[in-house]
């Protein structure tokens, strides 16, 4: 991989130069407690030192509500027009979120390819940025604290500059387009980068032990712990909304007043919702809240592993931060693990 | 930028194709058989499926839901769906007049593993609406009679008025190349031409070699329990018991998450599962 | 297909739902194209009080015995009865002190006895008649009403989201008032559909749409107590809009 | 000979009420507005609640004028705790209230009263023959709602207006857009005045009327004010609202009646134009002349014309407020802090239908111990009965149906809001 250096004083110029490559989306601070990815009109809004955004980048590829078709009684379902050439740049994505997107890629590809997801995905370049974990991050445990591909450029903060890894030819074009802003990387910078990477380790406050986890989840399928969590859970869905790898959606037809035309839409759903597994006639395959909570963990750390060989959790800590009931994935899994080995 | 190797712009997997309701055949109360014909001749000709697969059926303006294909691929040109009126979409379907347009996409799901099943005996055990997907298999087997050894159908209803496809199935009683066991729990008028009594009793009426037999089971959730018990008693191995399962579905193509059981999607890994899968996955039956 | 015959009726409330219907300024003419409005006292003087209706939209809670009679009459002549607004669905603000005797309340407000009128604790429609569908909200959201009308015209029972306000709040990327600001937010147990109006403004959800199905009141109360709210104040907030709701009654009945 | 006119359920007004009039040998023996709207006892329900819980609950008194209920309630609480919100907050609150005024007047004038004058039974029937008029009316109504949405966060029962300020202040961009819409709306409103001026407004309800309205110290027409002035020349401070209204419980109605010094009085758009009309700007004054309100009148049916005048006034005032806000530079301020203490607070505002009073007492912890709300419709009821009496007397010989139509028209002219009157 090619590596160059971007002195921080050149960052703004570089970002401005990027607009040639597409509309920029990047983290901004909404208020003291909240950062979000947002369309950038003015590069001074961008805050690359952010902690975690409230919603992950999935919102751009699997929007909370998305129109799939227009329909009418006569013409049936007509696909919405998509601008296949509209290019975007998602700037300032953390390593865990890049992993999150790659997990969604798995889900939306395969035998059936979801074009709604991939149209945006293929037209968006990703520029990653390094970060400092806080007390809710456990990406190290999930092996997502570093990322080797899935981005075009990746900026690693080494105090005065960013070390820029160039992963794709598009990334290379971006750098070349403002060559003068970049410097060659010397030995010290490499050393500095290694030092920083090592320092990052010190910040982690929590760890999720993955060893043997799928098996433990099987063993503890009937654990009382699930019921305890079920008592606390509000089925509010916050955890699923903010999760970079939760992808469930609901589909519905929205009619116009004429009762004949309208739009077919999909919107984020959550397996924590009461009606998630409810079928016509009233059978609910997961009517108990405890069964639904369990399903979320089971799917991420057991089901997904069986299906794709890795868990669908990237340790971003969002669900920990946003659960009103303070249900904490690391604590839950740790508890389940201890249930298995009493 | 995404640089994986997923195929670039194939067709929209969610695109429903217009089909016309060309026949509506009332069955028992709240059940109807709908014959659909795709409007587009190319789709009509290319639409191939295997028994046990389903389609996503859209009522324009109401919504979409999965429905098993009830007809057999051996009889192309139209597809038949047997639908029970139970909720929004199905209500709307029952309201539609003949010749209305609906949306259909599919076929989806694995369907029955015909390649494996060939050359074996076929035991079809159906309960209620479970006959819908199994009817496809039944006619497939009867139309390709040489592909299977013995063909046995077991189907029960409370009373004659509640038996789906009654007239069609009664004609099979006379066939010599299969056994058609149709039972009703009660026959007060004494006019029922076939068996009377609970379905489980039918198991005593025949002997098959479980080693060369596949059982295909579909019915209401409670049925799986007792039928599988019977079959295990008859020494069926767990992977020769095939069951069609049902879960909530929104997409039919393994994306929306709803039909996930453990780590299998009912829509793409199923809906046909072996009994082994079923007991091995939590929540399955 | 002929236009469905409908009636819009009010029991006791602030008339918010009728006002929201009239607030569909851009859609009003389209509504008239698809609905045959036979009764709508707030807007029309020639009302057909007898005809059979396909749909009756009823807002307001019942606070006097006469209303039970008229509600039952409406039920009798309507194929579908749709409760509009939190008062009709859950009892609304009028039901927030149903445990206090009506006479006491009357004394406080009217002092010396005025017209002798009967008053009953405020109740939602479903306490008296079968309700086919409910659209809650204080007041209802225009979009939900229009969506519902479109579905009904098509012949379908409408579907509205059943999840909690938090879901919408998260989608709007609001800073969580409960977690980050320790405010008394009922978002986790309140049914969505308002697009988290309050939280979007930085105001905690007051629960004006009523509880979600299977509302986990106990957990919500625990969370709020931990934030320093007293049980009394939490209970007050819980009963402000949906006091008669079963989940809330069950919670209040505990000890 | 006995003749009685019974209107079971008065239509095209908000809420549930009827009218009974009986005439015996040409003599009016009974005039009663029978308000059978259910009582929710809201003033009793809030007792014991914390101060900040009160405004959103009492907003539910009425949907049409929820904005003005909210703002009056906020002001009464702040009065009790001697809290002064920022100038920006006060401007935004007024914007909200003016939006409510536009919405309510447009609804009443074009949808509920206009059908009367043109001989239709509903705005829907009217729309078939007069689509343009109804469209303009709906457009103005929407404008009022847009203002309320923008400032209050919701068109009915605003969520964004809280004690001490606003949850979120509208952006400059949004205000500029709003101003554009208002400018467009002003043109339409001025055009609408022409059509209202062409209406033949009958005059069959003349009876001596005492008008009351809020008066502010400013030189401009306003919906705010700290004293109440009467057409008799008298005035009282808002804080003596009990003396002004003298509320009494009457046997035939769930709503109380008001009398000032033993006389019924009228509040509302007509009262305001009569008492404060001289403060209107010259363009609005022209509209006033056109609509025949340049001089003193006791024809209550002209209340609708007064509403048309006020729509113009309110739109112009909104534009003015937005300009002021923009000139000052809109600041993202948080609500000022409230320090509860024991005490009493009262506030009054001109709601679309007239003066609205909210008055509360609090204990040390900021829990409300007593709440008193007097709504304009409640104040007007006695005056309405007086007008019906005069009408019945003057037209005692007319057929029942003729009488009924006239009575209904007068009732509707008041734009009564029955939910408000009972609450
Ligand atoms: C593989 C498969 C095959 C099926 N085959 C048939 C058949 O041949 N005939 C038949 O009558 N029914 C069949 N069903 C059941 C049928 O899908 C439901 O009865 C139907 O979805 C009810 O839709 P509704 O809109 O009327 O009900 P509602 O209760 O209004 O359901 C709303 C939505 O929820 C989902 N949903 C509800 N119930 C089910 C369910 N049981 N399974 C999956 N999704 C559901 C659908 O997306 C549906 O549109 C099958 C289900 C599956 C999974
Ligand atoms: S499960 Fe929680 S920690 Fe894991 S990826 Fe999702 S939101 Fe992040
Ligand atoms: S965020 Fe917490 S309370 Fe809400 S659904 Fe998720 S686990 Fe349950
Ligand atoms: S602010 Fe309220 S509604 Fe929003 S997420 Fe937090 S608890 Fe839920």
């Amino acid at each position: 991989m090619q590596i160059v250096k971007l002195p921080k004083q050149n960052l703004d110029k570089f970002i401005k130069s990027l607009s040639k490559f597409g509309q920029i989306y990047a983290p901004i601070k909404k208020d003291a407690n909240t950062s979000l990815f947002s369309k950038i009109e003015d590069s001074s809004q961008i805050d690359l030192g952010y902690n975690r955004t409230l919603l992950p980048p999935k919102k751009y590829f699997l929007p909370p509500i998305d129109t799939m078709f227009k329909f009418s009684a006569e013409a049936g379902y007509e696909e919405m027009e998509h601008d296949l050439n509209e290019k975007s740049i998602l700037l300032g994505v953390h390593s865990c979120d890049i992993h999150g997107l790659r997990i969604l890629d798995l889900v939306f590809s395969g035998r059936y390819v979801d074009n709604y997801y991939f149209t945006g995905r293929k037209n968006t370049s990703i520029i990653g940025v390094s970060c400092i974990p806080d007390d809710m991050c456990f990406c190290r445990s999930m092996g997502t604290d570093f990322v080797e591909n899935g981005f075009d450029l990746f900026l690693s903060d080494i105090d005065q500059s960013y070390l820029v890894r160039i992963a794709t030819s598009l990334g290379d074009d971006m750098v070349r387009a403002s060559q003068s802003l970049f410097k060659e990387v010397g030995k010290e910078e490499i050393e500095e980068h290694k030092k920083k990477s090592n320092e990052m380790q010190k910040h982690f406050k929590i760890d999720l032990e993955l060893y043997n986890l799928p098996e433990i989840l099987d063993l503890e399928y009937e654990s009382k712990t699930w019921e305890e969590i079920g008592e606390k859970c509000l089925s509010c869905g916050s955890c699923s909304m903010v999760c970079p790898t939760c992808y469930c959606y609901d589909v519905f037809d929205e009619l116009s007043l004429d009762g004949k035309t309208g739009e077919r839409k999909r919107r984020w759903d959550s397996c924590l919702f009461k009606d998630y597994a409810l079928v016509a006639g009233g059978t609910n395959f997961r009517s108990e809240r405890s069964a639904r909570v369990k399903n979320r963990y089971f799917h991420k750390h057991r089901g997904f592993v069986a299906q794709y060989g890795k868990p669908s959790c990237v340790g971003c800590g969002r669900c920990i931060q946003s659960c009103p009931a303070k249900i904490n994935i690391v604590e839950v899994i740790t508890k389940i693990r201890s249930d298995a080995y009493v | 930028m995404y640089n994986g190797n997923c195929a670039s712009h194939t067709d929209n997997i969610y695109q429903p194709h217009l089909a016309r309701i060309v026949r509506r055949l009332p069955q028992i109360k709240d059940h109807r058989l709908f014959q659909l014909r795709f409007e587009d001749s190319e789709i009509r000709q290319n639409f191939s499926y295997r028994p046990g697969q389903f389609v996503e059926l859209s009522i324009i303006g109401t919504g979409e839901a999965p429905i098993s294909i009830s007809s057999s691929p051996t009889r192309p040109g139209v597809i038949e769906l047997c639908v029970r009126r139970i909720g929004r979409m199905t209500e709307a379907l029952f309201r539609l007049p003949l010749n209305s347009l609906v949306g259909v996409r599919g076929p989806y799901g694995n369907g029955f593993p015909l390649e494996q099943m060939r050359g074996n005996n076929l035991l079809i055990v159906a309960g209620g609406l479970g006959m819908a997907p199994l009817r496809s298999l039944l006619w497939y087997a009867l139309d390709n009679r040489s592909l299977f050894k013995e063909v046995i159908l077991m189907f029960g209803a409370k009373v004659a008025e509640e038996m789906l496809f009654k007239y069609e199935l009664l004609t099979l009683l006379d066939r010599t190349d299969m056994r058609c066991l149709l039972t009703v729990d009660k026959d007060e008028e004494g006019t029922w031409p076939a068996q009377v009594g609970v379905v489980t009793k039918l198991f005593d009426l025949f002997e098959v070699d479980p080693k060369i037999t596949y059982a295909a089971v579909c019915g209401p959730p409670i049925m799986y329990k007792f039928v599988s018990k019977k079959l295990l008693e008859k020494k069926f191995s767990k992977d020769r018991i095939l069951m069609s399962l049902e879960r909530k579905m929104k997409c039919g193509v393994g994306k929306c998450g709803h039909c996930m059981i453990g780590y299998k999607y009912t829509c793409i890994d199923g809906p046909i599962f072996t009994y082994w899968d079923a007991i091995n996955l939590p929540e399955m039956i | 297909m002929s236009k469905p015959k409908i009636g819009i009726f009010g029991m006791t409330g602030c008339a918010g739902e009728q006002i929201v219907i009239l607030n569909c300024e851009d859609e009003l003419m389209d509504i008239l194209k698809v609905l045959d409005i036979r009764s709508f006292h707030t807007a029309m003087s020639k009302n057909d009080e007898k005809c059979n209706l396909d749909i009756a939209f009823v807002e307001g809670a019942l606070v006097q015995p006469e209303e039970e009679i008229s509600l039952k009459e409406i039920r009798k002549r309507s194929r579908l009865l749709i409760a509009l607004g939190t008062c009709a669905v859950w009892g609304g603000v009028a039901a927030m002190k149903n445990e206090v005797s009506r006479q006491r309340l009357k004394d406080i407000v009217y002092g010396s006895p005025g017209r002798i009128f009967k008053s009953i604790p405020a109740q939602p429609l479903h306490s008296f008649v079968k309700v086919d569908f409910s659209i809650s909200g204080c007041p209802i959201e225009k979009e939900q009403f229009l969506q519902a009308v479109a579905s009904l015209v098509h012949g379908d029972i409408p579907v509205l989201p059943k999840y909690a306000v938090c879901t919408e709040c998260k989608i709007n990327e609001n800073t969580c008032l409960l977690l980050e600001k320790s405010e008394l937010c009922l978002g986790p147990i309140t049914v969505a559909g308002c697009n988290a109006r309050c939280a979007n403004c930085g105001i905690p959800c007051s629960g004006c749409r009523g509880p979600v199905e299977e509302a986990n009141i106990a957990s919500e109360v625990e969370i709020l107590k931990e934030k320093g709210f007293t049980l009394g104040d939490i209970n007050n907030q819980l009963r402000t809009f949906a006091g008669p709701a079963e989940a809330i009654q069950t919670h209040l009945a505990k000890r | 000979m006995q003749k009685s006119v019974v209107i079971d359920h008065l239509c095209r007004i908000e809420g549930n009420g009827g009218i009974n009039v009986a005439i015996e040998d040409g003599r009016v023996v009974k005039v009663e507005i029978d308000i059978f709207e259910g009582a929710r006892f809201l003033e009793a329900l809030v007792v014991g609640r914390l101060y900040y819980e009160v405004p959103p609950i009492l907003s539910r008194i009425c949907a049409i004028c929820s904005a003005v209920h909210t703002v009056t309630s906020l002001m009464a609480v702040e009065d009790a705790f001697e809290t002064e919100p920022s100038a920006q907050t006060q401007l935004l609150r007024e914007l909200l209230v003016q939006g409510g005024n536009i919405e309510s007047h447009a609804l009443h004038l074009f949808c509920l009263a206009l059908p009367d004058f043109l001989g239709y039974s509903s705005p829907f029937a009217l729309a078939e023959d007069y689509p343009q008029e109804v469209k303009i009316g709906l457009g103005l109504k929407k404008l009022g709602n847009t203002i309320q949405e923008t400032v209050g966060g919701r068109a009915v029962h605003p969520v964004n207006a809280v004690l001490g300020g606003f949850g979120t202040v509208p952006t400059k961009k949004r205000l500029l857009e709003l101003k554009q819409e208002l400018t467009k709306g002003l043109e339409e409103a001025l055009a609408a005045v022409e059509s209202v001026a062409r209406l033949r407004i009958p005059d069959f309800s003349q009876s001596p009327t005492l008008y009351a309205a809020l008066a502010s110290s400013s030189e401009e027409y306003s919906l705010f004010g700290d004293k109440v002035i009467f057409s008799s020349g008298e005035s009282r401070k808002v804080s003596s609202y009990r003396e002004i209204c003298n509320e009494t419980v009457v046997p035939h109605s769930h709503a109380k009646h008001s009398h000032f010094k033993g006389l019924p009085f009228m509040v509302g758009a007509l009262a305001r134009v009569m008492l404060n009309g001289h403060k209107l700007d010259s363009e609005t004054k022209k509209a006033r002349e056109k609509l025949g309100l340049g001089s003193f009148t006791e024809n209550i049916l002209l209340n609708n014309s007064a509403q048309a005048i006020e729509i113009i006034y309110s739109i112009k005032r909104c534009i003015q407020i937005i300009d002021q806000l923009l000139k000052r530079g809109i600041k993202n301020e948080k609500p000022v802090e409230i320090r509860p203490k024991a005490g009493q607070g009262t506030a009054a505002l001109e709601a679309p239908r007239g003066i609205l009073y909210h008055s509360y007492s609090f204990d040390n912890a900021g829990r409300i111990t007593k709440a008193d709300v007097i709504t304009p419709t409640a104040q007007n009821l006695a005056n309405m009965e007086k007008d019906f009496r005069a009408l019945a007397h003057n037209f005692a010989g007319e057929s029942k149906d003729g009488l009924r139509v006239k009575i209904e028209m007068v009732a509707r002219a008041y734009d009564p809001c029955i939910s408000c009157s009972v609450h």
Side-chain angles (χ1 to χ4, degrees), chain A residues 233-239 241 272-273 322-324, chain C residues 163-167 187-188:
Chain A
C233 173
L234 300 142
S235 300
C236 73
S238 295
C239 50
M241 300 303 120
L272 280 311
F273 296 158
S322 62
C323 175
Chain C
Y163 45 73
V165 173
C166 287
T167 296

Side-chain angles (χ1 to χ4, degrees), chain C:
Chain C
M1 201 167 52
S2 66
K3 294 193 217 174
K5 291 197 278 289
I6 69 137
I8 298 166
F9 303 94
M11 299 289 134
T12 294
C14 72
E17 281 53 70
Q18 305 190 47
I19 297 304
V20 170
I21 294 173
L22 291 170
N23 280 355
C24 300
E25 292 98 356
D26 292 337
E27 298 86 4
L28 217 48
M29 294 304 143
D30 290 331
I31 294 178
L32 294 177
K33 276 189 212 141
V34 294
L35 294 180
D36 177 6
I37 306 181
R38 291 301 180 94
S39 189
F40 187 3
H41 281 256
T42 302
M44 314 190 329
S45 14
K46 286 200 183 121
N47 295 291
D48 186 339
E49 316 285 3
K50 291 277 167 310
C51 69
N52 283 337
L53 296 171
D54 292 296
I55 310 161
F57 293 97
V58 186
E59 67 153 29
L62 280 75
V63 304
Q64 41 189 353
E66 294 83 353
E67 286 169 331
E68 185 180 343
I69 299 167
S70 60
L71 177 63
K72 285 189 168 151
E73 258 160 37
I74 294 167
R75 174 73 266 191
K76 230 185 273 162
R77 54 194 273 242
S78 313
R79 199 165 55 79
L80 291 176
L81 188 146
I82 297 186
L84 282 191
T86 298
C87 289
V89 180
W90 297 113
V93 287
M96 86 178 92
K97 278 191 185 168
N98 273 355
E99 72 286 1
V100 178
S101 90
R102 299 295 98 181
Q103 191 55 46
R104 258 208 59 216
L105 299 175
K106 213 185 287 182
D107 288 348
I108 294 175
V109 176
Y110 288 86
S112 61
R115 170 176 178 164
I116 313 295
F117 60 88
K118 290 203 196 86
S119 175
I120 56 172
Q123 289 297 328
L125 309 185
H126 70 79
S127 302
F128 302 92
V129 296
K130 170 167 175 262
V131 171
D132 297 295
F133 189 72
S134 294
I135 304 178
S136 75
C138 185
I140 53 166
E141 294 291 331
K142 190 165 150 171
E143 283 64 34
Q144 289 206 324
F145 174 74
L146 293 171
Q147 269 304 304
V149 168
S151 285
L152 290 163
V153 167
H154 191 253
D156 302 325
I157 288 289
V159 262
L160 299 178
K162 293 199 174 111
Y163 45 73
V165 173
C166 287
T167 296
E168 294 179 324
C169 191
K170 282 283 166 309
I171 286 175
N172 293 340
E173 297 192 81
N174 295 322
T175 302
C176 179
L177 299 159
L178 178 65
L179 286 168
E180 310 284 350
K181 305 239 162 109
S182 294
E183 299 203 45
L184 200 165
C185 187
L186 294 188
I189 53 163
T190 302
V191 70
C194 59
N195 195 24
R197 263 180 202 279
C198 292
N200 293 352
C201 294
I203 309 286
C205 167
S206 58
C208 85
R209 304 178 51 77
V212 286
E213 231 181 274
E214 203 198 63
N216 193 344
I217 310 269
S219 178
E220 169 82 5
V221 169
E222 271 320 299
I223 295 165
L224 292 173
K225 283 208 295 213
E226 236 167 73
K227 300 274 174 202
F229 295 98
T230 66
L231 186 60
D233 286 341
I234 299 167
N235 287 350
N236 274 344
Q237 194 56 54
L238 283 174
R239 46 156 77 101
T240 298
F241 290 97
E246 202 187 317
I248 293 172
Q249 284 300 315
T250 314
H251 159 73
L252 294 175
K254 270 190 235 151
R255 185 184 30 150

Side-chain angles (χ1 to χ4, degrees), chain B:
Chain B
M1 187 154 293
Y2 176 76
N3 45 17
N5 55 359
C6 97
S8 66
H9 272 274
T10 47
D11 290 340
N12 184 337
I13 53 171
Y14 303 109
Q15 177 72 55
H17 302 292
L18 288 179
R20 206 171 279 285
I21 303 178
V22 290
R23 291 186 77 184
R24 297 183 310 167
L25 303 164
Q27 294 288 324
I28 60 174
K29 183 171 180 288
D30 288 334
H31 291 67
R32 255 185 220 170
L33 188 70
F34 295 85
Q35 223 172 54
L36 308 181
R37 191 165 180 276
F38 283 107
E39 288 284 278
D40 183 313
S41 62
E42 209 175 311
I43 294 173
R44 193 159 63 230
Q45 276 149 29
N46 296 337
F47 191 86
S48 62
Y49 58 94
R50 57 166 70 210
Q53 285 194 299
F54 64 94
V55 293
E56 282 283 343
L57 174 66
S58 282
I59 305 303
I60 301 167
T62 305
E64 201 177 37
I67 302 289
S68 308
I69 305 174
S70 228
S71 49
S72 161
T74 48
R75 300 170 181 201
V78 291
I79 58 169
E80 289 177 345
L81 309 180
C82 177
V83 181
R84 163 166 48 195
R85 172 160 61 183
I86 188 164
R88 260 179 119 240
M89 187 287 289
T90 46
E91 287 275 359
L93 174 65
F94 274 59
R95 275 200 310 272
L96 285 183
L98 204 63
N99 281 322
S100 300
L101 288 174
V102 294
V104 176
R105 61 186 175 94
Y108 296 126
N110 53 1
F112 285 100
L114 300 173
E115 296 77 4
Q116 279 172 40
M117 294 161 78
R118 262 175 217 166
N120 285 278
N121 299 322
L122 180 57
L123 170 62
I124 296 176
V125 188
L129 191 54
M131 193 62 221
L134 293 178
R135 176 176 179 259
S136 177
L137 180 64
L138 175 70
W139 284 110
Y140 176 86
L142 294 180
D143 290 350
N144 293 301
R145 190 60 195 85
S146 59
L147 291 182
F148 297 90
K149 291 205 169 82
E150 268 191 75
V151 175
I152 304 167
L153 168 68
M154 286 171 55
F155 187 34
K158 273 206 201 80
V159 286
E161 294 72 49
E162 287 180 22
M163 183 168 284
L164 266 177
F165 306 110
K166 185 172 62 185
Y167 297 106
E168 180 180 308
L169 295 179
L170 284 173
T171 63
L172 299 180
L173 288 177
D174 303 334
R175 275 180 85 137
T176 49
D177 59 347
M178 73 165 294
R179 282 215 57 183
C180 180
L181 301 170
L182 303 175
T183 185
V184 293
D185 293 356
K186 254 194 255 144
D187 176 30
E188 278 168 6
E189 267 125 65
T191 49
W192 183 247
Q195 281 72 23
V196 178
V198 291
V199 193
T200 28
K201 278 222 224 140
L202 300 179
F203 281 97
D204 308 332
L205 297 180
F206 61 91
E207 277 306 324
V208 283
D209 178 358
K211 292 202 179 57
I212 51 160
T213 306
Y214 275 96
V217 187
C218 187
I222 37 153
M223 201 188 99
Y224 292 109
K225 289 227 165 82
F226 73 78
V227 171
S228 47
K229 193 166 154 244
K230 276 278 173 201
L231 291 170
L232 292 175
E233 279 168 16
K234 289 201 169 246
K235 300 278 182 295
F236 271 72
S237 81
K238 296 190 180 73
D239 55 4
R240 282 184 168 263
I241 306 173
L242 304 166
M243 26 185 54
S244 177
L245 295 187
E246 192 177 323
R247 280 297 182 280
K248 172 119 148 202
M249 283 179 197
K250 282 289 166 185
C251 73
V253 289
K255 310 292 174 203
C256 80
H258 288 85
C259 70
M260 172 75 68
I261 310 175
Y263 43 86
K264 301 259 185 187
Y265 280 104
T266 312
C267 63
I268 50 177
D269 301 323
I272 312 298
F273 290 98
T274 66
Y275 181 66
W276 168 247
D277 284 329
I279 55 172
N280 212 18
L281 283 173
E283 296 184 338
M284 196 159 236
I285 52 170

Side-chain angles (χ1 to χ4, degrees), chain A residues 56-64 66 88-90 93 97 101 104-105 108 114-126 266 268, chain B residues 1-2:
Chain A
K58 77 171 174 188
K59 69 176 181 180
Y60 292 120
F61 311 110
L62 179 67
D66 198 14
S88 313
I89 300 170
L90 196 50
V93 190
D97 280 347
L101 288 175
L104 294 185
D105 292 345
F108 289 106
D114 186 314
N115 289 338
Y116 296 99
Y117 173 85
F118 276 108
T119 301
R121 192 72 177 94
K122 286 176 180 168
N123 285 314
T124 307
S125 36
I126 305 281
R266 65 175 174 190
W268 291 354
Chain B
M1 187 154 293
Y2 176 76

Side-chain angles (χ1 to χ4, degrees), chain D residues 159-187:
Chain D
V159 297
N160 189 30
V162 291
L163 285 167
F166 285 87
T168 311
V169 272
T171 58
K172 181 174 159 198
K173 181 162 162 269
R174 190 66 200 96
L175 286 176
L176 282 169
E177 288 164 7
L178 198 55
K179 184 176 164 184
Q180 254 181 5
E181 291 171 48
L182 281 157
T183 314
K184 222 179 102 243
L186 182 59
E187 278 169 36

